[in-house]
Amino acid sequence: MFGNSNFDRIRQIFADQFASDAYGYTYRKGQKGAEFRISEAERDNFIATFNRRIRYTIWSIAPATISLILLLAWLTPESDSSEANVAIWIGVGAILLPFLAIYYWSWNAPARELETRKNR
């Protein structure tokens, strides 16, 4: 679940935003945005930071899901009730919304950091 090819592909797509040329590396958000010249160390740091943040975020889903299941079993023992169905959807949203927020925040970290730097 946590080391499958989908997450490897996400990491690769993020790394593909950094292109090498004769002068070092450039960064383009989504491979379409403004181009910024960066060093190899900056590139490596951006990629390592993204990978670490995504790994922590993905691993946090498992305990959050287990906690949700336990909480729902305790608060709504009758699982076929409408209250239980609403609680399930609220719980899933409470897990996925922070995950997505952190994911996009991590994805856009290089662009945020480099936006104050003058374009190439």
Side-chain angles (χ1 to χ4, degrees), residues 17-28 35-40 43 120:
Q17 297 179 106
F18 302 92
S20 65
D21 60 15
Y23 303 106
Y25 286 92
T26 58
Y27 167 78
R28 295 181 73 178
E35 190 172 70
F36 296 94
R37 173 114 0 242
I38 60 170
S39 68
E40 183 176 1
R43 174 196 172 268
R120 181 178 177 210

Side-chain angles (χ1 to χ4, degrees), residues 13-110:
I13 291 170
F14 181 80
D16 288 345
Q17 297 179 106
F18 302 92
S20 65
D21 60 15
Y23 303 106
Y25 286 92
T26 58
Y27 167 78
R28 295 181 73 178
K29 181 179 175 184
Q31 298 177 349
K32 297 181 258 181
E35 190 172 70
F36 296 94
R37 173 114 0 242
I38 60 170
S39 68
E40 183 176 1
E42 286 176 309
R43 174 196 172 268
D44 294 343
N45 185 44
F46 283 135
I47 292 173
T49 301
F50 176 79
N51 290 341
R52 185 177 57 254
R53 287 176 179 162
I54 294 303
R55 182 177 59 245
Y56 293 156
T57 306
I58 291 168
W59 279 100
S60 71
I61 290 175
T65 303
I66 292 169
S67 299
L68 173 64
I69 292 168
L70 294 174
L71 185 65
L72 289 173
W74 179 54
L75 294 175
T76 58
E78 191 175 318
S79 62
D80 287 339
S81 69
S82 62
E83 294 87 14
N85 287 332
V86 169
I88 289 170
W89 285 110
I90 290 171
V92 169
I95 292 171
L96 291 180
L97 288 176
F99 170 79
L100 291 173
I102 293 169
Y103 173 81
Y104 284 109
W105 179 77
S106 299
W107 185 274
N108 294 317

